Amino acid sequence: MRALDVIQAAHDADLTLAVDGDALVLEADGPPPTALLDLLAEHKSAVLSMLRPDAAGWTVEDWRTFFDERAGIAEFNAELGRDEAEVRAFECCVVEWLNRHPQHSLPGRCAWCGKPDRKEHVVVPFGVEGNGHTWLHPECWEAWHGARIAEATAALEAMGLRGLLKSPDDFGKNGGA
């Protein structure tokens, strides 16, 4: 069983988990099932690492809340079916993950192919001024961006967020989030 499955089992049992230093804090209205306590003890270090904030300052719970909020908005405000709402919510999570995990590089060398700036292959900045840039050849952007989306998708799926992107590069073009 993975730590994520243990966390989900705790939520299913209405058990709230929190981190206090190296301690796992449990809150419940009644005594939790012994089998669940055994799982939490067995997977404590992995559960703690999932509950601690990542480099961007978000925990697995923050990502799940973000996903659930976006799915709810899409389902109720946009009147989408739950499956389509979850696809849209996952797309929003991918965009948010990319924003919170930017990839910066130094000017003059493409972050994707590693080749330097040349007359016929100019390296240009992608990104926003306040957040930094990734320097790429324009022809390298598509492959780099696809790899970044795959990285975000893998990270989010490892946190238990599931979703299938219809097209990894259609954000904002064909009804994407």
Side-chain angles (χ1 to χ4, degrees):
M1 180 172 269
R2 300 175 309 148
L4 187 60
D5 298 324
V6 176
I7 292 169
Q8 186 61 51
H11 284 280
D12 292 346
D14 293 324
L15 186 66
T16 302
L17 303 174
V19 176
D20 183 13
D22 288 333
L24 183 60
V25 179
L26 314 175
E27 293 181 21
D29 291 334
T34 304
L36 180 57
L37 292 175
D38 292 342
L39 283 172
L40 286 165
E42 180 182 346
H43 298 280
K44 180 183 174 186
S45 63
V47 168
L48 284 170
S49 69
M50 291 201 85
L51 294 176
R52 287 191 175 108
D54 64 8
W58 278 28
T59 65
V60 170
E61 283 303 309
D62 294 326
W63 285 106
R64 285 182 171 210
T65 299
F66 186 81
F67 175 86
D68 289 340
E69 287 172 350
R70 296 313 171 276
I73 290 167
E75 186 175 9
F76 297 107
N77 292 2
E79 299 180 0
L80 297 177
R82 185 65 187 182
D83 290 344
E84 181 64 21
E86 287 185 357
V87 168
R88 296 274 179 101
F90 192 80
E91 290 172 346
C92 289
C93 288
V94 167
V95 171
E96 188 66 24
W97 191 93
L98 291 171
N99 288 338
R100 290 179 170 277
H101 299 86
Q103 183 183 58
H104 304 293
S105 65
L106 297 174
R109 187 167 297 276
C110 180
W112 180 250
C113 72
K115 293 181 181 171
D117 193 15
R118 296 188 310 252
K119 182 179 177 184
E120 66 277 4
H121 293 285
V122 177
V123 179
V124 296
F126 288 87
V128 293
E129 190 65 38
N131 200 19
H133 295 107
T134 301
W135 293 80
L136 300 159
H137 294 111
E139 62 271 16
C140 292
W141 181 86
E142 189 173 346
W144 172 83
H145 189 247
R148 292 284 291 150
I149 289 174
E151 181 183 4
T153 300
L156 293 165
E157 286 182 346
M159 290 184 258
L161 301 178
R162 301 281 184 243
L164 299 174
L165 298 177
K166 289 183 178 177
S167 173
D169 59 354
D170 82 340
F171 293 107
K173 296 180 196 170
N174 302 314

